[in-house]
Amino acid sequence: VTRGLIAIDWGSSSLRGARVSGDGAVLEERSFAAGILTVPPGGFAAALRHHFGDWLTAPDTLCLMAGMIGSRQGWIEAPYAACPANAADIARQLTWVVPGRVAIVPGLSCERDGAPDVMRGEETQVFGALQLFGLGGAARVTLVLPGTHSKWVQVERGVVRGFATLMTGEVYALLRHQSILARTLPVDDAVFDEAAFDAGVAHSLRGNGLLGAAFSVRSLSLFERLPEPHRPSYLSGLVIGEELRAQREQAGDRIVLVGSPTLAPRYERALALLGARTESVGSKATWRGLFDIASTLRS
Amino acid sequence: VTRGLIAIDWGSSSLRGARVSGDGAVLEERSFAAGILTVPPGGFAAALRHHFGDWLTAPDTLCLMAGMIGSRQGWIEAPYAACPANAADIARQLTWVVPGRVAIVPGLSCERDGAPDVMRGEETQVFGALQLFGLGGAARVTLVLPGTHSKWVQVERGVVRGFATLMTGEVYALLRHQSILARTLPVDDAVFDEAAFDAGVAHSLRGNGLLGAAFSVRSLSLFERLPEPHRPSYLSGLVIGEELRAQREQAGDRIVLVGSPTLAPRYERALALLGARTESVGSKATWRGLFDIASTLRS
């Protein structure tokens, strides 16, 4: 009997889990609004049992957890693995909370422009996505993981060489809801307007930074050159376009996009405007990444 | 008897005025927390009388107002003058609210990267500063006006060719107080730390955009490489450094900085790190600009 896996993705705001068979098939998935910030200190073991207790009772089950659960605010702080690092380096540096049974996957750290950078959870998606696309041996791949804090990850032959965090989603939300631009934007997002989004991407790609590009939301509105319902799409294009402008050097690489169903199509559109060749995968990258770590432990 | 001038700078959040003699001397200044957003619709004439009524009773007094008072939310909308424009173009396009007695100076508009850009109030500071430094005929000058929305203005022989608005001060405040970075920053700003500020400027100048640079506040803090009291200075350096990175092409120009006593020293420091040659002037640029427009009307 091959050992079963309980794969857990435990972030700041959500808790997701999958039951994975010994041959890697995802048998069942669950998702809860039970991120680590909702769990009282010392309450993580109980929270895990509460949501996944029935799965955990199966004999010889292994449970691997990725994400902010390994941060200082999580169950126990799992030290970062330093880049360059491959999947085997990650697997060797698990932090066990129940020896042999329940472990936390380390995040990754790297040094970039004289400052450190960090990720937690995305490393698992990266290694999972590489496996799903058969790119574990590719000479050079860039993985883009859009979100509140987007990650751009450079991988060479299965080794993460380095990565960059860009605060794209968070800055979008601040500009959208808290800045002077909010005054010219509708309270609710209307339908996504592709032309306005593309115009925003193009504006950022022509410009040289978001501090300058962002003001165009206001000035275009002032001269009635941007209809009110299209403004959130335009701003979204500006901010995502700025992310691409900053990372433009990597747009020539083979790009794997690991994103949610809402964000991925926007990044695909924007990357296509840059002429980048993109493949996409969603949440199953996490389950595949955790399955591969589990396989390493078995062998 | 030469005609006296009441010079008014009426912005969103403050109202400042100066009584200027016929030969340009500033005789008296007043400042109130009575920005246009505090004045009810239709209440601007009364507000002006309330704060400056005694000055306005002098016979044959001219009152010129610059700033957001000419916006859609102000007394009356004063149409923008389009770039290229010099001081005489501005003086010809005043909007009179009391004919021959009280007028609003138009803002400027320009086209940049396929979108319009606008200013209101800064045009008066620009023309005033050029006069104060004897640069009305200079082949090429860049004026930098730091603030919530910084302006970088290109002037050739007294003509504003174009300008850029950068949302530096506003984005700083959003990141400082509303973003995830706020969690690692002290509630109150401690004393300004020059070394941390310089490190922030240098980090942005090495990087390629604020979305990526900003996250270094968090990662440096996480690894205890940036002491908590220094973090606001570092973030300030990052954001101002990003403004300079974006406008780097103009750093080779002769630069005139028109800024407040709190912001100007930070910009002087940052511009010096770029090797720029900078001269500074404060609020008297506004009074000089309005005096020059008044002189044009007299002649």
Side-chain angles (χ1 to χ4, degrees):
Chain A
V1 177
T2 316
R3 200 174 179 190
L5 169 70
I6 315 299
I8 303 285
D9 175 15
W10 208 337
S12 297
S13 55
S14 75
L15 167 61
R16 299 186 311 124
R19 194 158 62 84
V20 183
S21 73
D23 57 359
V26 176
L27 305 174
E28 195 179 349
E29 289 184 83
R30 290 178 187 168
S31 180
F32 306 94
I36 64 159
L37 300 177
T38 70
V39 178
F44 290 99
L48 184 68
R49 268 197 310 275
H50 179 70
H51 293 105
F52 300 103
D54 53 335
W55 293 358
L56 290 161
T57 53
D60 198 34
T61 295
L62 175 67
C63 175
L64 291 181
M65 302 184 287
M68 293 301 281
I69 187 66
S71 71
R72 218 164 284 175
Q73 291 75 41
W75 192 327
I76 187 172
E77 191 170 356
Y80 294 102
C83 287
N86 63 16
D89 293 323
I90 289 283
R92 265 195 303 275
Q93 295 176 58
L94 298 178
T95 294
W96 292 93
V97 291
V98 181
R101 291 269 294 168
V102 182
I104 298 174
V105 175
L108 286 181
S109 66
C110 71
E111 193 77 9
R112 172 172 68 87
D113 296 335
D117 206 336
V118 292
M119 60 167 62
R120 275 199 192 279
E122 293 92 349
E123 72 295 326
T124 301
Q125 296 178 290
V126 164
F127 294 118
L130 289 174
Q131 289 302 315
L132 287 169
F133 288 108
L135 291 171
R140 188 175 169 91
V141 187
T142 286
L143 291 100
V144 179
L145 300 91
T148 306
H149 298 160
S150 294
K151 308 285 180 185
W152 284 62
V153 187
Q154 292 156 334
V155 180
E156 293 173 13
R157 300 187 199 288
V159 177
V160 176
R161 308 300 311 184
F163 57 88
T165 302
L166 293 100
M167 296 176 64
T168 310
E170 180 161 18
V171 168
Y172 172 76
L174 291 169
L175 292 174
R176 169 75 181 87
H177 297 292
Q178 312 278 338
S179 79
I180 192 172
L181 305 180
R183 292 190 211 165
T184 62
L185 294 168
V187 175
D188 296 311
D189 284 15
V191 289
F192 178 66
D193 186 79
E194 294 187 345
F197 176 82
D198 291 356
V201 173
H203 189 77
S204 277
L205 292 178
R206 272 196 307 274
N208 190 27
L210 191 60
L211 292 178
F215 196 69
S216 66
V217 176
R218 184 166 161 79
S219 56
L220 285 167
S221 303
L222 205 57
F223 288 95
E224 287 165 16
R225 285 166 55 179
L226 185 62
E228 186 177 307
H230 297 175
R231 291 173 194 167
S233 302
Y234 176 77
L235 177 60
S236 173
L238 276 184
V239 182
I240 290 174
E242 164 65 8
E243 178 177 333
L244 268 56
R245 185 201 62 76
Q247 300 303 108
R248 192 168 219 158
E249 276 180 26
Q250 286 169 257
D253 293 350
R254 183 162 184 173
I255 291 193
V256 172
L257 189 62
V258 185
S260 67
T262 44
L263 275 180
R266 297 191 182 201
Y267 276 76
E268 281 168 17
R269 265 195 96 74
L271 283 160
L273 289 173
L274 258 186
R277 190 161 54 114
T278 308
E279 290 153 299
S280 284
V281 64
S283 63
K284 65 180 176 176
T286 302
W287 310 143
R288 178 62 189 257
L290 290 172
F291 174 76
D292 285 333
I293 294 170
S295 308
T296 309
L297 297 178
R298 278 177 214 125
S299 61
Chain B
V1 177
T2 316
R3 200 176 181 187
L5 169 69
I6 315 299
I8 303 287
D9 174 16
W10 208 337
S12 296
S13 55
S14 74
L15 168 60
R16 300 185 312 122
R19 194 158 62 84
V20 183
S21 73
D23 57 0
V26 175
L27 305 173
E28 195 180 348
E29 289 184 82
R30 288 178 188 166
S31 179
F32 306 95
I36 65 159
L37 300 177
T38 71
V39 178
F44 290 98
L48 183 68
R49 269 196 311 273
H50 179 70
H51 292 105
F52 301 104
D54 53 336
W55 291 359
L56 290 161
T57 55
D60 197 32
T61 295
L62 175 66
C63 174
L64 290 181
M65 301 184 288
M68 293 301 281
I69 187 66
S71 71
R72 219 163 282 175
Q73 291 75 41
W75 193 326
I76 187 172
E77 192 171 355
Y80 294 101
C83 286
N86 63 16
D89 294 322
I90 290 282
R92 265 196 303 275
Q93 296 177 58
L94 298 177
T95 294
W96 292 93
V97 292
V98 181
R101 291 270 293 168
V102 182
I104 297 174
V105 175
L108 285 181
S109 66
C110 71
E111 194 76 10
R112 173 172 67 88
D113 296 334
D117 206 336
V118 292
M119 59 166 63
R120 278 198 190 277
E122 293 91 349
E123 73 295 327
T124 301
Q125 295 178 291
V126 165
F127 294 118
L130 290 173
Q131 289 301 315
L132 287 168
F133 288 108
L135 291 171
R140 189 176 168 90
V141 187
T142 286
L143 291 99
V144 179
L145 299 92
T148 305
H149 298 160
S150 294
K151 307 286 181 184
W152 284 62
V153 187
Q154 293 156 332
V155 180
E156 293 173 14
R157 301 187 199 289
V159 177
V160 175
R161 307 300 312 187
F163 56 88
T165 301
L166 293 100
M167 296 177 62
T168 311
E170 181 161 15
V171 168
Y172 172 76
L174 290 170
L175 292 174
R176 169 75 181 89
H177 296 293
Q178 312 278 339
S179 80
I180 193 174
L181 305 181
R183 293 191 209 162
T184 61
L185 294 167
V187 176
D188 297 311
D189 285 13
V191 289
F192 178 66
D193 185 79
E194 294 186 344
F197 177 82
D198 292 355
V201 172
H203 188 76
S204 276
L205 291 178
R206 273 196 306 273
N208 191 26
L210 190 60
L211 292 178
F215 196 68
S216 67
V217 176
R218 183 165 162 82
S219 56
L220 286 167
S221 302
L222 206 55
F223 288 95
E224 287 165 18
R225 285 165 56 177
L226 185 62
E228 185 176 306
H230 296 174
R231 291 172 195 168
S233 302
Y234 176 77
L235 177 59
S236 173
L238 276 184
V239 182
I240 291 173
E242 163 65 7
E243 177 177 335
L244 268 55
R245 186 200 61 76
Q247 301 303 109
R248 193 166 217 160
E249 277 181 25
Q250 287 170 257
D253 293 350
R254 183 161 182 174
I255 292 194
V256 172
L257 189 62
V258 186
S260 67
T262 44
L263 275 180
R266 296 191 183 200
Y267 276 75
E268 281 168 16
R269 265 194 97 74
L271 283 160
L273 289 173
L274 258 186
R277 191 160 52 115
T278 308
E279 292 155 299
S280 285
V281 64
S283 63
K284 65 180 177 176
T286 301
W287 311 143
R288 179 60 189 257
L290 291 171
F291 174 76
D292 286 332
I293 294 170
S295 307
T296 309
L297 297 178
R298 279 179 212 122
S299 62

